[in-house]
Amino acid sequence: MLRKVLIIVALFFVPVTMAASIDNQNPYKQMQIAADEVFTTINSEAAKIKTNPDLLKAIVKKDLLPHIQVKYAAALVLGNYYQSATPEQRNAYFAAFENYLVQAFAQALSMYNGQQYQIESAKDLTDKNMIAIRVLLISSDSAQAPIRLDFQWRKNTISGEWKAYDLIAEGISMISTKQTEWATTLRTGGIDALTKQLQLLANQKIDPNAGVTDTSSAK
């Protein structure tokens, strides 16, 4: 079950990786083309990554984060604390959150072991600003049922660009999970305490044998 969760988290980033030529106004195309490209890259660089797993951080930072609404996701996690934070606190938090995402998803990607994926057919985007795109993660073990992933996408109403901001895996939202997980830190120490915690987590090395980053380890 833990390994399944790791792969689910990893796949949150994989589909939103986009080459410059990909139409960023069509999230369905982005997911299909980018997923194919990234898995090919991971497989071709497998030997190097095995020797130095931290290479995954560079891959995430360069190819994945530019296509995720990092600040939007971070603000959602922060909830009501966002309004009371100063501009300086917000900037520090956003930077720490982004670095945390680099580490967390590089760690998750280190657990990838060749699962197949199936992206749902494109639907009409007319008058849509937010959509969910379903992906089925299919194990080579036919006895295991496919894992259902619903990627949440949001359209920038000015530029028309689509970017991902959340993942609902088997009914569980990544944003909601982090809101709950970090609630105590925010309640007792505020945004500064969470920023410090995220910075510590971001500095952890990638270890394929370690599992998902545990936020409690950085307290």
Side-chain angles (χ1 to χ4, degrees), residues 110-123:
S110 74
M111 307 302 293
Y112 170 70
N113 59 6
Q115 285 82 354
Q116 299 298 309
Y117 53 90
Q118 183 180 77
I119 301 171
E120 73 170 295
S121 300
K123 293 182 174 61

Side-chain angles (χ1 to χ4, degrees), residues 69 72 127-132 152-155 162 165:
Q69 293 189 335
Y72 184 74
D127 298 326
K128 301 290 186 181
N129 291 324
M130 289 189 176
I131 64 169
Q152 307 302 301
W153 289 74
R154 180 172 178 264
K155 181 181 180 181
W162 287 88
Y165 70 91

Side-chain angles (χ1 to χ4, degrees), residues 49-62:
I49 292 171
K50 184 176 181 179
T51 301
N52 181 13
D54 269 17
L55 290 174
L56 288 167
K57 286 187 177 183
I59 294 173
V60 170
K61 190 170 185 177
K62 178 178 180 294

Side-chain angles (χ1 to χ4, degrees), residues 19-203:
S21 61
I22 297 177
D23 179 7
N24 59 16
Q25 295 187 346
N26 188 319
Y28 293 98
K29 289 183 179 179
Q30 291 179 34
M31 292 191 74
Q32 187 64 65
I33 296 174
D36 294 341
E37 179 179 313
V38 172
F39 281 125
T40 297
T41 300
I42 291 177
N43 289 330
S44 66
E45 298 294 326
K48 293 180 180 180
I49 292 171
K50 184 176 181 179
T51 301
N52 181 13
D54 269 17
L55 290 174
L56 288 167
K57 286 187 177 183
I59 294 173
V60 170
K61 190 170 185 177
K62 178 178 180 294
D63 297 330
L64 304 183
L65 286 192
H67 309 292
I68 297 172
Q69 293 189 335
V70 175
K71 288 186 177 181
Y72 184 74
L76 289 178
V77 170
L78 207 57
N80 293 332
Y81 292 91
Y82 178 84
Q83 297 299 329
S84 60
T86 66
E88 291 75 15
Q89 286 177 315
R90 291 177 187 175
N91 288 337
Y93 165 72
F94 286 146
F97 187 86
E98 179 172 316
N99 289 334
Y100 161 75
L101 289 182
V102 171
Q103 197 284 335
F105 290 101
Q107 176 63 42
L109 282 171
S110 74
M111 307 302 293
Y112 170 70
N113 59 6
Q115 285 82 354
Q116 299 298 309
Y117 53 90
Q118 183 180 77
I119 301 171
E120 73 170 295
S121 300
K123 293 182 174 61
D124 186 10
L125 297 173
T126 303
D127 298 326
K128 301 290 186 181
N129 291 324
M130 289 189 176
I131 64 169
I133 300 179
R134 179 158 298 177
V135 175
L136 295 180
L137 184 62
I138 304 171
S139 172
S140 58
D141 182 356
S142 59
Q144 294 185 1
I147 299 173
R148 190 187 74 193
L149 314 174
D150 293 298
F151 295 90
Q152 307 302 301
W153 289 74
R154 180 172 178 264
K155 181 181 180 181
N156 185 308
T157 55
I158 297 176
S159 67
E161 294 182 349
W162 287 88
K163 291 188 178 183
Y165 70 91
D166 192 14
L167 164 64
I168 298 176
E170 296 294 343
I172 301 174
S173 163
M174 186 191 75
I175 296 296
S176 297
T177 298
K178 292 306 175 184
Q179 286 175 330
T180 301
E181 190 175 331
W182 295 334
T184 300
T185 299
L186 285 168
R187 185 171 60 253
T188 58
I191 187 174
D192 292 335
L194 180 55
T195 298
K196 182 178 180 180
Q197 182 175 323
L198 293 178
Q199 289 170 336
L200 292 174
L201 289 168
N203 291 331

